[in-house]
Amino acid sequence: MTDKEHLIIFDTTLRDGEQSPGASMTRDEKVRIATALERLRVDVIEAGFPAASNGDFEAVQAVARAVKDSTVCGLARALERDIDRAGEALKDAHAGRIHTFIATSPIHMEKKLKMSPDQVVEQAVIAVKRARQHCDDVEFSPEDAGRSEIDFLCRVIEAVIDAGARTINIPDTVGYAVPHQFGSLIAQLRERIPNADKAIFSVHCHNDLGLAVANSLAAVQHGARQVECTINGLGERAGNAALEEIAMTVRTRQDYFACDTRLDTTQIVNCSRLVSGITGFPVQPNKAIVGANAFAHESGIHQDGVLKHRETYEIMRAEDVGWQQNRMVLGKHSGRNAFRARLEELGVRLATVEELNEAFRRFKDLADKKHEIFDEDLQALVTDATLGSANERVKLVSMRVCSETGETPRADLVLSLDGEEEPGTAIGGGPVDATFRAIESIANSGATLKLYSVNAITSGTDAQGEVTVRLEKGGRVVNGAGADTDIVIASAKAYLNALNKLSNVSERAHPQTGDV
């Protein structure tokens, strides 16, 4: 970028993305995604909300210690205890940022905060000054800015910039904005606020009307130079602006945008698959950039055009975002060093010899079932191993499932429940239904199955299947994931993973009364 301005990419997959129902991540999973985002060259990684729980504090702290090339950010309400907790979690960061927020719309101030506008301005200034005691890089967000009165927005933003905020984020918290209006808002704020030149303006758009990316790009056209987004558009409700769509739109349309990102876009697909595997949120085939069909051509006219000249129907190269042919990297005769080296090339670093040995054992088991081992298989293998080792109260010991024409499917299995082996048997409408019923005959969780999804990791009838199971109990929703070349076993793994998450009473819950 010689004459292009820098568009800062602020990734909030680990914070806002985790607020998707069932998408909670462990500390180690957050670190794994953060290191992938660092390879993607994301500028700022919002690692979580340290005041939410001890688990979230430890996750932000772990990310801050692991990441060296990106700024690590922690979210905090405009409360001294939240800000101090964020500062403590980030103290070991190579570069840290505190992101503090308070609501500024009339309905939020009156109904939720029960504070006057004067009190909100005062609290915002106090919060920014408190954050500056911990680090120089402070971001402020007026929550529900899209429904706030512009005169008041100008007032509070001017005050927090004077107090030391160097990034001002304008969130469309409820996804209410439309592009022309939102872009105009950014332009007016930058024009009307006397000290606007002392801060970078940022946007954080939600996708309730399917306009998060469009609104973000409209803001960029009017001077915003940071976009807050997530991998795959993950986030609560309908999600957030998708990082991959923002980055590739700006990169592809350099004739239109006066800025560009510093991302290594060849890492996009890898990040997408990693986040999908860890959270259990599959990527739809027709999803822009990272969907399986994003660069596929069915029409004969399109195929003919692409063969003659790629640009006839492709506006970007698949290789530029990380798509490539499935490449066999290892086989059953591959050794431990080759296995470890390929994992490291994929960004997976196993901390101990024991973890390497366990992952290598799983690889050998997979190689006995599946002749060709692709990168996607290795990523799924590591994710599955991580899922299987975390907080396992219920474990699969053995299972036998019978499905025969004219007969009712039956599942017989043995589970380890708190270290004690217990058998279970059930019949069902199919082998997976029978398996789930047999598990429940032992676990008696009382959970309701809300989603069952199957995706093939690679092509071929011997491909590993990735299963996502969503369970709900008492208003709490969790996703479970499992992978295996046997889809029924993968289904059992996914169901048990979800049950173990439900039983993990220490799992985080966000205390915030709002979101940015």
Side-chain angles (χ1 to χ4, degrees):
M1 293 190 308
T2 55
D3 56 352
K4 291 284 184 178
E5 295 181 44
H6 176 207
L7 178 62
I8 298 167
I9 295 297
F10 178 112
D11 182 277
T12 184
T13 303
L14 302 181
R15 200 278 299 171
D16 201 332
E18 191 186 24
Q19 291 177 211
S20 298
S24 57
M25 311 165 201
T26 67
R27 179 190 63 190
D28 292 343
E29 288 168 346
K30 280 197 170 190
V31 170
R32 192 175 162 203
I33 291 174
T35 54
L37 293 172
E38 186 179 26
R39 289 196 306 277
L40 180 59
R41 295 183 62 190
V42 162
D43 298 286
V44 185
I45 301 171
E46 189 168 51
F49 194 158
S53 67
N54 289 334
D56 222 32
F57 174 89
E58 292 169 2
V60 174
Q61 187 178 61
V63 170
R65 290 170 175 170
V67 169
K68 304 302 179 188
D69 296 329
S70 302
T71 296
V72 178
C73 178
L75 183 69
R77 292 169 295 186
L79 300 173
E80 289 188 0
R81 62 179 180 274
D82 276 31
I83 292 166
D84 291 345
R85 191 70 167 154
E88 177 68 17
L90 295 167
K91 70 177 183 179
D92 295 329
H94 179 74
R97 173 184 294 188
I98 293 177
H99 178 192
T100 186
F101 71 96
I102 192 169
T104 56
S105 65
I107 189 171
H108 276 236
M109 289 190 291
E110 178 186 351
K111 302 298 183 182
K112 185 183 72 174
L113 299 179
K114 301 188 185 306
M115 295 171 67
S116 69
D118 288 346
Q119 289 174 318
V120 167
V121 173
E122 181 183 10
Q123 189 63 38
V125 168
I126 290 172
V128 169
K129 288 182 176 179
R130 185 78 172 195
R132 283 296 300 263
Q133 294 177 15
H134 294 280
C135 62
D136 292 333
D137 191 350
V138 175
E139 176 172 335
F140 174 79
S141 289
E143 185 192 359
D144 203 22
R147 296 189 297 178
S148 299
E149 296 173 349
I150 191 165
D151 288 345
F152 183 65
L153 272 181
C154 290
R155 178 186 169 196
V156 70
I157 291 171
E158 181 181 1
V160 296
I161 292 176
D162 280 343
R166 290 298 170 259
T167 301
I168 300 299
N169 178 55
I170 306 302
D172 181 25
T173 304
V174 294
Y176 183 71
V178 293
H180 178 77
Q181 171 249 327
F182 194 66
S184 176
L185 172 64
I186 301 302
Q188 290 182 65
L189 292 174
R190 295 181 65 237
E191 290 168 2
R192 292 180 53 178
I193 297 170
N195 54 2
D197 60 320
K198 295 181 180 178
I200 292 171
F201 276 73
S202 169
V203 288
H204 178 126
C205 297
H206 280 263
N207 205 40
D208 298 73
L209 295 175
L211 295 172
V213 169
N215 285 330
S216 299
L217 293 173
V220 170
Q221 275 298 91
H222 286 84
R225 286 297 176 263
Q226 175 177 287
V227 175
E228 306 199 355
C229 44
T230 61
I231 298 293
N232 299 335
L234 193 67
E236 63 179 339
R237 304 191 313 277
N240 291 276
L243 178 150
E244 60 277 5
E245 296 176 22
I246 295 289
M248 293 313 296
T249 300
V250 172
R251 182 70 50 88
T252 302
R253 294 302 308 272
Q254 282 290 283
D255 60 316
Y256 187 73
F257 290 97
C259 57
D260 197 4
T261 74
R262 294 176 180 168
L263 296 183
D264 176 3
T265 59
T266 62
Q267 296 295 319
I268 284 176
V269 169
N270 181 58
C271 283
S272 170
R273 289 172 174 164
L274 178 62
V275 170
S276 176
I278 286 176
T279 61
F281 278 67
V283 176
Q284 67 195 59
N286 62 330
K287 168 74 172 66
I289 315 299
V290 293
N293 293 347
F295 293 89
H297 298 276
E298 177 71 18
S299 165
I301 295 174
H302 287 212
Q303 291 171 347
D304 179 66
V306 169
L307 289 172
K308 290 176 178 174
H309 192 70
R310 180 186 60 81
E311 285 82 359
T312 55
Y313 286 101
E314 287 188 356
I315 59 173
M316 54 193 155
R317 298 193 315 158
E319 298 90 334
D320 290 343
V321 297
W323 284 108
Q324 57 185 332
Q325 291 294 319
N326 291 331
R327 181 161 58 96
M328 187 181 72
V329 295
L330 297 169
K332 65 188 297 182
H333 300 296
S334 298
R336 192 184 313 269
N337 287 338
F339 173 73
R340 178 172 56 189
R342 186 56 195 154
L343 286 183
E344 289 181 352
E345 288 177 21
L346 293 172
V348 178
R349 292 175 176 81
L350 300 173
T352 65
V353 174
E354 290 74 18
E355 287 182 5
L356 174 63
N357 290 340
E358 174 59 20
F360 187 65
R361 182 191 66 76
R362 287 175 177 259
F363 161 71
K364 285 294 190 179
D365 288 344
L366 178 61
D368 284 335
K369 303 174 186 176
K370 190 176 189 291
H371 178 63
E372 297 181 329
I373 307 296
F374 300 111
D375 289 350
E376 294 91 337
D377 292 309
L378 295 177
Q379 290 167 330
L381 180 149
V382 173
T383 297
D384 195 49
T386 303
L387 292 170
S389 63
N391 302 311
E392 277 194 306
R393 178 174 172 255
V394 189
K395 300 179 182 180
L396 178 65
V397 177
S398 65
M399 64 181 289
R400 178 175 180 270
V401 181
C402 295
S403 184
E404 183 180 351
T405 303
E407 299 293 333
T408 303
R410 174 189 174 98
D412 299 282
L413 51 79
V414 177
L415 300 181
S416 172
L417 187 62
D418 293 327
E420 297 290 330
E421 292 190 2
E422 294 189 31
T425 299
I427 59 174
V432 172
D433 183 43
T435 299
F436 288 177
R437 289 175 183 270
I439 291 173
E440 281 297 337
S441 73
I442 302 170
N444 293 315
S445 71
T448 301
L449 179 65
K450 293 293 186 181
L451 174 73
Y452 174 75
S453 173
V454 180
N455 290 283
I457 294 173
T458 58
S459 59
T461 56
D462 65 346
Q464 286 195 93
E466 245 180 356
V467 174
T468 299
V469 167
R470 182 173 298 165
L471 298 181
E472 186 271 334
K473 181 179 180 181
R476 187 175 178 205
V477 178
V478 298
N479 283 341
D484 199 276
T485 53
D486 185 319
I487 203 64
V488 181
I489 294 176
S491 301
K493 288 180 178 180
Y495 198 95
L496 292 173
N497 178 238
L499 286 183
N500 282 315
K501 286 184 176 181
L502 278 176
S503 67
N504 181 12
V505 294
S506 65
E507 199 161 6
R508 65 197 284 290
H510 282 283
Q512 73 259 45
T513 54
D515 180 37
V516 293

